[in-house]
Amino acid sequence: MTAPDAASPPMTMAPAPEPEDRTYGARFISRGRLAARALYWLGWLSFSRRSVVTSGVEREVYGLGVGALRLVASASLLVGLIAMFQVAAQLAPYGAETISARVVAWFAARELGPVVVALLVVARSSAAIAGELASMNASGEIDALRAMGLDPVKYLVSPKLLAVIVVLPALTVLADALILTGVWLGSTAFLDYSTGRFIVQLRESFVTRDIAVGLGKALVFAVVIAIVASDEGLSAERRAAAIGPAATRAVVFSLIGVLAADTIVNAIFYFIPGLI
Amino acid sequence: MLRVEDLTGPTPRPVIHDVSLAVPKGATHLVIGPIQAGKSMLMRHIVGLEHPVSGRIFLEGTRVDGAADSDAQLRRLRARLGVVFEGSALISRLSAVENVELPLLEHSRVAPAEARHAARELLSEVGMADAAERTADALGRSAQRRVAIARALALRPPMLLLDEPTQGLDAHAAHEVDELLRTLQARYEFGTLIFSHEVRHAFGMASQIYVMAAGTIVARGDREALEESENEVVRQLLHRRGGR
């Protein structure tokens, strides 16, 4: 009845919450460790039949994903229209505005879709994740879990990580579709494109590979957002006043993290021939 | 059952000093004191969240104060020590029954279906059968406290620690929690150590009361002995400022 559970990462001592002015190196190491533990438990969650965390994941998916649908949908449609106007304006002097849809469609799948969704999720959910964990820290609930032998990373961070990993690519597909809808609206209403011509341009520019690259980026962004926000929440000081700053730091560092990750991925595609 | 000897901690800056107490099997002891007296820190040491500077903690004769140094030891300790934390500390996104079955799934080898069945029975015992599927954050304070008690008893521990178990509850709900603890204790014969700053709470339940102030135990004894005490902290706690 009381035999210890199967192999698990050590959780011997509660890591002391670190002060708000952690160095960047300390943050990087802390997030690396958290990511390793969260991914370990994610693997466990995927295969264990003893997990009750799966229902928690469903609720996280609902909160993080379904709740963001309207925001992502409306923002993506507007971004599609904006991109269409901007690109058409830049190409007009060269008489090339007719290829605007083609350019935007390609860019939407590879860049706009995943980045817009990631930034919206950061704005909407990073602060919520960090605030929830910081609040639990302040009220002693994180310590309570540790005291009961329940790893907070396993029961709090991994479900959030899995939820964001599920939600971000799904929202990215939706965003891609709605950005293209925005492009279609702009090109047919203002550039006198026919729908048939738009579809031809779309088919010429849009390949499965572009969508795959966008979804790959979404996965990377998901890990960055979930880990950065969770780390800021878990490492907040044990006082109510630390909740707000933790949420703010989560948004700031998640934004920078997403853009840095995007830069690195784009640099890899640019500098390694054949990848693009 | 539970014995704390000359405990000073935590490392590196001690907050509690030379604390000693002993809770026999099936007994209910109470640690009271004003806020910041060191009660929570004492509890954190007992559950292995803090390293003591010196002193020893025994649970059923086994020394456990070094538990935080060993993963396996810590897991064994947690399986034998039920803890109800201040504010209940349930996982808000999980249902009541999922919260209660967590210790079973984490610290035992029972099948998931058995764990679910045992969790439902426990919820029934604490009067929460109807709320089994509701998420923890949808429950009221009193209901959360009951679920937390069920979770703490899931592994049938010989010792139960409760931190401010009636804080935030009205007098009626607090009385109900007291009655529930009394009933469960009579059924399962676990020892109980209650940490509280509310003197009225459990004062009648406890056979031994420790009064903490400034990180140390300043008085101890049964209810009658403390009511006779001339110690200033005790008198303030019992609202007998005028004294005899």
Side-chain angles (χ1 to χ4, degrees):
Chain A
M1 188 74 172
T2 59
D5 200 1
S8 59
M11 48 168 296
T12 48
M13 194 67 189
E18 297 171 40
E20 291 177 19
D21 55 354
R22 287 188 296 170
T23 62
Y24 287 111
R27 284 182 203 281
F28 189 77
I29 291 168
S30 169
R31 280 159 198 171
R33 284 182 181 156
L34 181 62
R37 287 176 68 86
L39 290 169
Y40 170 89
W41 285 122
L42 202 59
W44 182 87
L45 280 176
S46 308
F47 297 106
S48 173
R49 291 178 59 246
R50 297 174 68 79
S51 171
V52 300
V53 184
T54 43
S55 59
V57 173
E58 287 168 19
R59 290 171 197 132
E60 295 284 359
V61 166
Y62 189 85
L64 296 171
V66 179
L69 274 178
R70 276 190 299 183
L71 173 67
V72 169
S74 52
S76 301
L77 195 66
L78 294 174
V79 165
L81 279 164
I82 294 165
M84 183 68 210
F85 289 131
Q86 288 288 347
V87 172
Q90 291 299 315
L91 294 178
Y94 309 99
E97 70 267 38
T98 51
I99 63 165
S100 301
R102 184 174 180 163
V103 173
V104 176
W106 180 81
F107 194 56
R110 281 193 170 243
E111 196 66 38
L112 274 180
V115 171
V116 164
V117 167
L119 297 185
L120 291 174
V121 169
V122 166
R124 188 177 176 277
S125 301
S126 260
I129 292 172
E132 180 185 336
L133 295 176
S135 162
M136 293 179 76
N137 217 349
S139 64
E141 290 175 44
I142 301 281
D143 278 346
L145 288 176
R146 288 188 177 114
M148 287 183 294
L150 306 175
D151 189 341
V153 177
K154 178 180 178 182
Y155 288 101
L156 299 176
V157 178
S158 289
K160 292 185 193 304
L161 175 61
L162 182 55
V164 181
I165 282 176
V166 169
V167 158
L168 223 65
L171 288 177
T172 298
V173 171
L174 175 75
D176 286 346
L178 284 162
I179 289 172
L180 293 179
T181 305
V183 174
W184 169 76
L185 276 174
S187 55
T188 52
F190 303 106
L191 295 182
D192 294 331
Y193 265 43
S194 67
T195 299
R197 189 174 171 195
F198 173 79
I199 290 171
V200 168
Q201 290 247 330
L202 201 61
R203 289 176 66 179
E204 284 175 359
S205 65
F206 212 56
V207 292
T208 315
R209 182 186 170 81
D210 298 322
I211 298 175
V213 170
L215 293 181
K217 282 184 178 178
L219 282 176
V220 174
F221 298 160
V223 174
V224 169
I225 292 168
I227 294 301
V228 169
S230 299
D231 182 54
E232 289 299 337
L234 286 176
S235 57
E237 291 178 69
R238 289 193 194 101
R239 55 193 177 89
I243 299 170
T248 304
R249 285 197 307 276
V251 172
V252 170
F253 285 115
S254 295
L255 280 174
I256 291 174
V258 164
L259 295 176
D262 193 34
T263 306
I264 291 168
V265 173
N266 282 328
I268 290 171
F269 276 103
Y270 183 80
F271 287 110
I272 299 180
L275 264 184
I276 201 154
Chain B
M1 177 63 58
L2 174 69
R3 202 166 76 248
V4 177
E5 293 179 354
D6 303 322
L7 190 74
T8 296
T11 308
R13 283 188 291 275
V15 173
I16 57 173
H17 305 274
D18 296 321
V19 171
S20 296
L21 56 83
V23 185
K25 186 182 179 190
T28 295
H29 286 193
L30 173 66
V31 179
I32 58 171
I35 291 167
Q36 301 290 323
K39 306 183 298 291
S40 294
M41 189 53 77
L42 173 59
M43 183 164 148
R44 288 174 65 85
H45 277 84
I46 295 172
V47 300
L49 284 174
E50 301 287 352
H51 279 292
V53 173
S54 62
R56 298 182 297 179
I57 303 170
F58 295 90
L59 182 63
E60 290 186 303
T62 307
R63 192 170 169 182
V64 296
D65 51 272
D69 294 328
S70 152
D71 212 34
Q73 212 180 348
L74 197 60
R75 284 178 176 276
R76 279 197 294 274
L77 165 66
R78 282 159 183 174
R80 289 186 293 144
L81 200 59
V83 189
V84 177
F85 284 88
E86 185 180 353
S88 301
L90 300 173
I91 298 182
S92 58
R93 291 201 187 274
L94 296 185
S95 66
V97 70
E98 287 168 340
N99 268 287
V100 176
E101 71 181 354
L102 267 181
L104 290 165
L105 294 171
E106 186 77 26
H107 294 300
S108 77
R109 296 198 184 280
V110 298
E114 268 182 73
R116 179 58 61 101
H117 179 69
R120 283 190 190 286
E121 281 194 344
L122 264 169
L123 282 174
S124 178
E125 285 191 64
V126 299
M128 293 298 298
D130 294 341
E133 302 302 332
R134 291 175 64 189
T135 53
D137 55 2
L139 299 173
R141 277 185 188 169
S142 176
Q144 285 186 350
R145 215 59 53 90
R146 286 167 179 269
V147 175
I149 290 170
R151 181 175 68 177
L153 294 176
L155 292 163
R156 299 284 188 268
M159 188 75 213
L160 185 65
L161 304 185
L162 299 107
D163 191 12
E164 307 284 2
T166 57
Q167 191 172 36
L169 303 182
D170 59 36
H172 178 66
H175 177 70
E176 282 188 342
V177 168
D178 288 349
E179 284 303 310
L180 175 66
L181 283 172
R182 230 188 290 263
T183 307
L184 292 169
Q185 194 173 19
R187 190 173 305 155
Y188 297 115
E189 298 180 329
F190 51 80
T192 306
L193 183 59
I194 300 171
F195 298 81
S196 179
H197 73 275
E198 293 179 276
V199 177
R200 68 175 168 84
H201 168 257
F203 206 68
M205 288 170 64
S207 57
Q208 179 83 356
I209 299 156
Y210 308 91
V211 181
M212 274 192 91
T216 190
I217 292 179
V218 295
R220 67 181 70 207
D222 58 18
R223 180 177 179 166
E224 288 73 27
L226 288 183
E227 281 175 345
E228 297 294 320
S229 173
E230 293 299 320
N231 182 289
E232 186 59 27
V233 177
V234 178
R235 287 165 56 157
Q236 284 182 3
L237 278 168
L238 300 184
H239 302 291
R240 291 193 297 109
R241 288 170 192 272
R244 294 163 194 272

